[in-house]
Amino acid sequence: EREAVIKTAPCAIDRQAALLSLLTEPQQDDRLKEIAIQVKADPSAPLVRAVVAKLGELKNVTLAQFFRDLQGHRNEHVRAAAIIAYSNLPAEAGQDWNQIASQVNRSAQSSVTVAALQALTTHQRIGVLHGHHHAGDAGLNQGVTTWSRTPLV
């Protein structure tokens, strides 16, 4: 029944609930890829964001391309979730830290910038930002470097 809801339910909340329920059970890599294709095509950004976050918890390297692709999604919250999920994959996924660093710029929405900074800081890749000065962003990148060295109180 969940499969039918995932594929045909007109309500995004129902599709999301069915997908999240399905992901509480172990899934084969091929099935995860099928789910990723369905999610990527879904018109509901909140559904995509929620399922991306859940898929990210699985830390399955076969989803690396899916997470990379969603970093270009039209919705900033989906992009942010994809950045976090992608950055938390095991190292064997071969994360493109430069791609994540490129999300830190003056035109990016704050949730995307925060996700990218969180990913880079958590994985001690903040130095990658030095290679990503965009026109007018020199102060932004300098501020990020200073911020990352400031101890939290």
Side-chain angles (χ1 to χ4, degrees), residues 56-127:
E57 292 173 11
L58 302 177
K59 298 185 181 190
N60 187 312
V61 296
T62 62
L63 297 172
Q65 186 61 50
F66 167 69
F67 296 137
R68 274 193 296 265
D69 292 347
L70 286 181
Q71 289 177 39
H73 194 273
R74 70 188 180 285
N75 181 277
E76 69 178 283
H77 301 292
V78 170
R79 289 195 307 273
I83 288 167
I84 296 301
Y86 178 65
S87 71
N88 287 330
L89 290 174
E92 66 209 52
Q95 288 90 334
D96 183 352
W97 296 106
N98 288 316
Q99 179 183 2
I100 293 173
S102 72
Q103 302 289 332
V104 179
N105 60 67
R106 291 194 190 279
S107 63
Q109 290 90 353
S110 61
S111 61
V112 174
T113 299
V114 168
L117 289 172
Q118 178 184 342
L120 294 168
T121 303
T122 300
H123 298 283
Q124 299 178 352
R125 304 291 181 146
I126 202 76

Side-chain angles (χ1 to χ4, degrees), residues 7-86:
K7 292 180 181 180
T8 62
C11 178
I13 294 170
D14 293 337
R15 293 191 311 274
Q16 179 178 326
L19 283 161
L20 293 176
S21 173
L22 183 66
L23 292 173
T24 62
E25 303 165 2
Q27 301 293 326
Q28 297 291 325
D29 288 351
D30 289 342
R31 181 63 182 127
L32 286 175
K33 288 180 184 178
E34 290 172 11
I35 292 169
I37 289 168
Q38 288 175 301
V39 168
K40 191 174 174 182
D42 199 285
S44 170
L47 175 150
V48 175
R49 189 211 55 77
V51 177
V52 164
K54 184 66 176 173
L55 287 169
E57 292 173 11
L58 302 177
K59 298 185 181 190
N60 187 312
V61 296
T62 62
L63 297 172
Q65 186 61 50
F66 167 69
F67 296 137
R68 274 193 296 265
D69 292 347
L70 286 181
Q71 289 177 39
H73 194 273
R74 70 188 180 285
N75 181 277
E76 69 178 283
H77 301 292
V78 170
R79 289 195 307 273
I83 288 167
I84 296 301
Y86 178 65

